[in-house]
PDB file of all heavy atoms in Angstrom:
ATOM      1  N   ARG P   6    -164.254 -68.633 -32.110  1.00  0.00           N
ATOM      2  CA  ARG P   6    -163.020 -67.848 -32.177  1.00  0.00           C
ATOM      3  C   ARG P   6    -162.723 -67.429 -33.590  1.00  0.00           C
ATOM      4  O   ARG P   6    -163.175 -68.013 -34.558  1.00  0.00           O
ATOM      5  CB  ARG P   6    -161.871 -68.613 -31.535  1.00  0.00           C
ATOM      6  CG  ARG P   6    -161.108 -69.761 -32.221  1.00  0.00           C
ATOM      7  CD  ARG P   6    -161.748 -70.552 -33.255  1.00  0.00           C
ATOM      8  NE  ARG P   6    -160.953 -71.677 -33.697  1.00  0.00           N
ATOM      9  CZ  ARG P   6    -160.349 -71.787 -34.886  1.00  0.00           C
ATOM     10  NH1 ARG P   6    -160.498 -70.853 -35.795  1.00  0.00           N
ATOM     11  NH2 ARG P   6    -159.643 -72.858 -35.192  1.00  0.00           N
ATOM     12  N   PHE P   7    -161.940 -66.328 -33.665  1.00  0.00           N
ATOM     13  CA  PHE P   7    -161.372 -65.923 -34.939  1.00  0.00           C
ATOM     14  C   PHE P   7    -159.874 -66.020 -34.718  1.00  0.00           C
ATOM     15  O   PHE P   7    -159.365 -65.505 -33.725  1.00  0.00           O
ATOM     16  CB  PHE P   7    -161.802 -64.493 -35.290  1.00  0.00           C
ATOM     17  CG  PHE P   7    -161.193 -63.958 -36.558  1.00  0.00           C
ATOM     18  CD1 PHE P   7    -161.214 -64.707 -37.740  1.00  0.00           C
ATOM     19  CD2 PHE P   7    -160.592 -62.704 -36.580  1.00  0.00           C
ATOM     20  CE1 PHE P   7    -160.645 -64.210 -38.907  1.00  0.00           C
ATOM     21  CE2 PHE P   7    -160.029 -62.202 -37.753  1.00  0.00           C
ATOM     22  CZ  PHE P   7    -160.050 -62.963 -38.909  1.00  0.00           C
ATOM     23  N   ALA P   8    -159.197 -66.713 -35.620  1.00  0.00           N
ATOM     24  CA  ALA P   8    -157.789 -67.048 -35.375  1.00  0.00           C
ATOM     25  C   ALA P   8    -156.894 -66.677 -36.548  1.00  0.00           C
ATOM     26  O   ALA P   8    -156.317 -67.537 -37.195  1.00  0.00           O
ATOM     27  CB  ALA P   8    -157.677 -68.541 -35.064  1.00  0.00           C
ATOM     28  N   PRO P   9    -156.781 -65.380 -36.836  1.00  0.00           N
ATOM     29  CA  PRO P   9    -156.010 -64.984 -38.014  1.00  0.00           C
ATOM     30  C   PRO P   9    -154.501 -65.154 -37.816  1.00  0.00           C
ATOM     31  O   PRO P   9    -154.002 -65.038 -36.699  1.00  0.00           O
ATOM     32  CB  PRO P   9    -156.348 -63.499 -38.167  1.00  0.00           C
ATOM     33  CG  PRO P   9    -156.642 -63.043 -36.779  1.00  0.00           C
ATOM     34  CD  PRO P   9    -157.325 -64.201 -36.106  1.00  0.00           C
ATOM     35  N   SER P  10    -153.828 -65.426 -38.912  1.00  0.00           N
ATOM     36  CA  SER P  10    -152.363 -65.389 -38.922  1.00  0.00           C
ATOM     37  C   SER P  10    -151.976 -63.983 -39.349  1.00  0.00           C
ATOM     38  O   SER P  10    -152.405 -63.525 -40.403  1.00  0.00           O
ATOM     39  CB  SER P  10    -151.815 -66.399 -39.926  1.00  0.00           C
ATOM     40  OG  SER P  10    -152.273 -67.690 -39.594  1.00  0.00           O
ATOM     41  N   ARG P  40    -157.776 -64.833 -31.375  1.00  0.00           N
ATOM     42  CA  ARG P  40    -156.494 -65.518 -31.169  1.00  0.00           C
ATOM     43  C   ARG P  40    -155.591 -65.206 -32.356  1.00  0.00           C
ATOM     44  O   ARG P  40    -155.960 -65.449 -33.502  1.00  0.00           O
ATOM     45  CB  ARG P  40    -156.754 -67.013 -31.088  1.00  0.00           C
ATOM     46  CG  ARG P  40    -155.524 -67.838 -30.879  1.00  0.00           C
ATOM     47  CD  ARG P  40    -155.896 -69.247 -30.531  1.00  0.00           C
ATOM     48  NE  ARG P  40    -156.105 -70.074 -31.698  1.00  0.00           N
ATOM     49  CZ  ARG P  40    -157.050 -71.018 -31.809  1.00  0.00           C
ATOM     50  NH1 ARG P  40    -157.911 -71.217 -30.836  1.00  0.00           N
ATOM     51  NH2 ARG P  40    -157.134 -71.756 -32.885  1.00  0.00           N
ATOM     52  N   GLU P  42    -152.547 -66.059 -34.489  1.00  0.00           N
ATOM     53  CA  GLU P  42    -151.706 -67.230 -34.738  1.00  0.00           C
ATOM     54  C   GLU P  42    -150.399 -66.782 -35.385  1.00  0.00           C
ATOM     55  O   GLU P  42    -150.236 -66.818 -36.606  1.00  0.00           O
ATOM     56  CB  GLU P  42    -152.496 -68.241 -35.582  1.00  0.00           C
ATOM     57  CG  GLU P  42    -153.786 -68.623 -34.852  1.00  0.00           C
ATOM     58  CD  GLU P  42    -154.397 -69.951 -35.294  1.00  0.00           C
ATOM     59  OE1 GLU P  42    -154.348 -70.277 -36.483  1.00  0.00           O
ATOM     60  OE2 GLU P  42    -154.920 -70.659 -34.412  1.00  0.00           O
ATOM     61  N   TYR P 185    -147.875 -75.766 -36.480  1.00  0.00           N
ATOM     62  CA  TYR P 185    -149.138 -75.070 -36.662  1.00  0.00           C
ATOM     63  C   TYR P 185    -150.384 -75.835 -36.192  1.00  0.00           C
ATOM     64  O   TYR P 185    -151.124 -75.373 -35.321  1.00  0.00           O
ATOM     65  CB  TYR P 185    -149.273 -74.680 -38.148  1.00  0.00           C
ATOM     66  CG  TYR P 185    -150.635 -74.165 -38.475  1.00  0.00           C
ATOM     67  CD1 TYR P 185    -151.019 -72.898 -38.062  1.00  0.00           C
ATOM     68  CD2 TYR P 185    -151.561 -74.970 -39.130  1.00  0.00           C
ATOM     69  CE1 TYR P 185    -152.293 -72.445 -38.306  1.00  0.00           C
ATOM     70  CE2 TYR P 185    -152.831 -74.512 -39.381  1.00  0.00           C
ATOM     71  CZ  TYR P 185    -153.194 -73.254 -38.959  1.00  0.00           C
ATOM     72  OH  TYR P 185    -154.456 -72.815 -39.189  1.00  0.00           O
ATOM     73  N   VAL P 189    -153.050 -75.037 -32.920  1.00  0.00           N
ATOM     74  CA  VAL P 189    -154.488 -74.803 -33.116  1.00  0.00           C
ATOM     75  C   VAL P 189    -155.288 -75.760 -32.225  1.00  0.00           C
ATOM     76  O   VAL P 189    -156.256 -75.365 -31.562  1.00  0.00           O
ATOM     77  CB  VAL P 189    -154.873 -75.001 -34.601  1.00  0.00           C
ATOM     78  CG1 VAL P 189    -156.391 -74.960 -34.789  1.00  0.00           C
ATOM     79  CG2 VAL P 189    -154.201 -73.939 -35.473  1.00  0.00           C
ATOM     80  N   ASP P 193    -157.737 -74.628 -29.351  1.00  0.00           N
ATOM     81  CA  ASP P 193    -159.181 -74.869 -29.458  1.00  0.00           C
ATOM     82  C   ASP P 193    -159.652 -75.683 -28.252  1.00  0.00           C
ATOM     83  O   ASP P 193    -160.747 -75.467 -27.719  1.00  0.00           O
ATOM     84  CB  ASP P 193    -159.511 -75.596 -30.780  1.00  0.00           C
ATOM     85  CG  ASP P 193    -159.489 -74.640 -31.970  1.00  0.00           C
ATOM     86  OD1 ASP P 193    -159.536 -73.411 -31.747  1.00  0.00           O
ATOM     87  OD2 ASP P 193    -159.418 -75.113 -33.119  1.00  0.00           O
ATOM     88  N   VAL P 201    -165.922 -74.261 -34.572  1.00  0.00           N
ATOM     89  CA  VAL P 201    -164.808 -73.712 -35.334  1.00  0.00           C
ATOM     90  C   VAL P 201    -165.365 -73.272 -36.686  1.00  0.00           C
ATOM     91  O   VAL P 201    -165.781 -74.095 -37.490  1.00  0.00           O
ATOM     92  CB  VAL P 201    -163.694 -74.766 -35.523  1.00  0.00           C
ATOM     93  CG1 VAL P 201    -162.634 -74.248 -36.505  1.00  0.00           C
ATOM     94  CG2 VAL P 201    -163.062 -75.118 -34.184  1.00  0.00           C
ATOM     95  N   ILE P 202    -165.417 -71.957 -36.880  1.00  0.00           N
ATOM     96  CA  ILE P 202    -165.926 -71.411 -38.145  1.00  0.00           C
ATOM     97  C   ILE P 202    -164.713 -70.807 -38.842  1.00  0.00           C
ATOM     98  O   ILE P 202    -164.070 -69.910 -38.293  1.00  0.00           O
ATOM     99  CB  ILE P 202    -167.001 -70.334 -37.864  1.00  0.00           C
ATOM    100  CG1 ILE P 202    -168.151 -70.944 -37.066  1.00  0.00           C
ATOM    101  CG2 ILE P 202    -167.485 -69.716 -39.175  1.00  0.00           C
ATOM    102  CD1 ILE P 202    -169.133 -69.922 -36.498  1.00  0.00           C
ATOM    103  N   ARG P 203    -164.360 -71.339 -39.991  1.00  0.00           N
ATOM    104  CA  ARG P 203    -163.147 -70.846 -40.667  1.00  0.00           C
ATOM    105  C   ARG P 203    -163.235 -71.110 -42.164  1.00  0.00           C
ATOM    106  O   ARG P 203    -164.142 -71.793 -42.641  1.00  0.00           O
ATOM    107  CB  ARG P 203    -161.906 -71.516 -40.061  1.00  0.00           C
ATOM    108  CG  ARG P 203    -161.883 -73.015 -40.251  1.00  0.00           C
ATOM    109  CD  ARG P 203    -160.662 -73.615 -39.564  1.00  0.00           C
ATOM    110  NE  ARG P 203    -160.690 -75.061 -39.554  1.00  0.00           N
ATOM    111  CZ  ARG P 203    -159.972 -75.818 -38.731  1.00  0.00           C
ATOM    112  NH1 ARG P 203    -159.185 -75.259 -37.823  1.00  0.00           N
ATOM    113  NH2 ARG P 203    -160.033 -77.131 -38.794  1.00  0.00           N
ATOM    114  N   GLY P 204    -162.247 -70.613 -42.861  1.00  0.00           N
ATOM    115  CA  GLY P 204    -162.215 -70.772 -44.311  1.00  0.00           C
ATOM    116  C   GLY P 204    -161.987 -72.220 -44.704  1.00  0.00           C
ATOM    117  O   GLY P 204    -161.358 -72.981 -43.967  1.00  0.00           O
ATOM    118  N   ASP P 206    -160.083 -73.425 -46.733  1.00  0.00           N
ATOM    119  CA  ASP P 206    -158.691 -73.795 -47.004  1.00  0.00           C
ATOM    120  C   ASP P 206    -158.126 -74.624 -45.852  1.00  0.00           C
ATOM    121  O   ASP P 206    -157.031 -75.162 -45.944  1.00  0.00           O
ATOM    122  CB  ASP P 206    -157.827 -72.546 -47.255  1.00  0.00           C
ATOM    123  CG  ASP P 206    -158.052 -71.436 -46.241  1.00  0.00           C
ATOM    124  OD1 ASP P 206    -159.162 -71.355 -45.679  1.00  0.00           O
ATOM    125  OD2 ASP P 206    -157.121 -70.650 -46.003  1.00  0.00           O
ATOM    126  N   HIS P 207    -158.903 -74.753 -44.784  1.00  0.00           N
ATOM    127  CA  HIS P 207    -158.443 -75.545 -43.637  1.00  0.00           C
ATOM    128  C   HIS P 207    -159.094 -76.924 -43.550  1.00  0.00           C
ATOM    129  O   HIS P 207    -158.820 -77.671 -42.600  1.00  0.00           O
ATOM    130  CB  HIS P 207    -158.666 -74.775 -42.330  1.00  0.00           C
ATOM    131  CG  HIS P 207    -157.748 -73.598 -42.206  1.00  0.00           C
ATOM    132  ND1 HIS P 207    -156.430 -73.714 -41.844  1.00  0.00           N
ATOM    133  CD2 HIS P 207    -157.949 -72.284 -42.454  1.00  0.00           C
ATOM    134  CE1 HIS P 207    -155.851 -72.529 -41.847  1.00  0.00           C
ATOM    135  NE2 HIS P 207    -156.760 -71.641 -42.222  1.00  0.00           N
ATOM    136  N   GLN P 214    -156.586 -82.555 -36.970  1.00  0.00           N
ATOM    137  CA  GLN P 214    -156.873 -81.841 -35.715  1.00  0.00           C
ATOM    138  C   GLN P 214    -157.845 -82.644 -34.851  1.00  0.00           C
ATOM    139  O   GLN P 214    -157.689 -82.722 -33.637  1.00  0.00           O
ATOM    140  CB  GLN P 214    -157.413 -80.438 -36.019  1.00  0.00           C
ATOM    141  CG  GLN P 214    -156.348 -79.541 -36.664  1.00  0.00           C
ATOM    142  CD  GLN P 214    -156.832 -78.123 -36.943  1.00  0.00           C
ATOM    143  OE1 GLN P 214    -157.954 -77.752 -36.602  1.00  0.00           O
ATOM    144  NE2 GLN P 214    -155.981 -77.333 -37.568  1.00  0.00           N
TER     145      GLN P 214
HETATM  146  N1  LIG X 501    -154.623 -68.991 -38.703  1.00  0.00           N
HETATM  147  C1  LIG X 501    -155.409 -69.542 -39.743  1.00  0.00           C
HETATM  148  C2  LIG X 501    -155.533 -68.556 -40.880  1.00  0.00           C
HETATM  149  O1  LIG X 501    -155.343 -67.373 -40.695  1.00  0.00           O
HETATM  150  C3  LIG X 501    -156.804 -69.927 -39.293  1.00  0.00           C
HETATM  151  C4  LIG X 501    -156.783 -71.138 -38.468  1.00  0.00           C
HETATM  152  C5  LIG X 501    -158.138 -71.597 -37.996  1.00  0.00           C
HETATM  153  O2  LIG X 501    -159.110 -70.838 -38.049  1.00  0.00           O
HETATM  154  O3  LIG X 501    -158.179 -72.730 -37.535  1.00  0.00           O
HETATM  155  O4  LIG X 501    -155.819 -68.961 -41.979  1.00  0.00           O
END
Side-chain angles (χ1 to χ4, degrees):
R6 78 334 186 251
F7 177 49
S10 302
R40 180 168 87 218
E42 302 201 323
Y185 170 74
V189 172
D193 283 343
V201 171
I202 301 169
R203 63 183 172 199
D206 46 332
H207 290 282
Q214 293 182 4

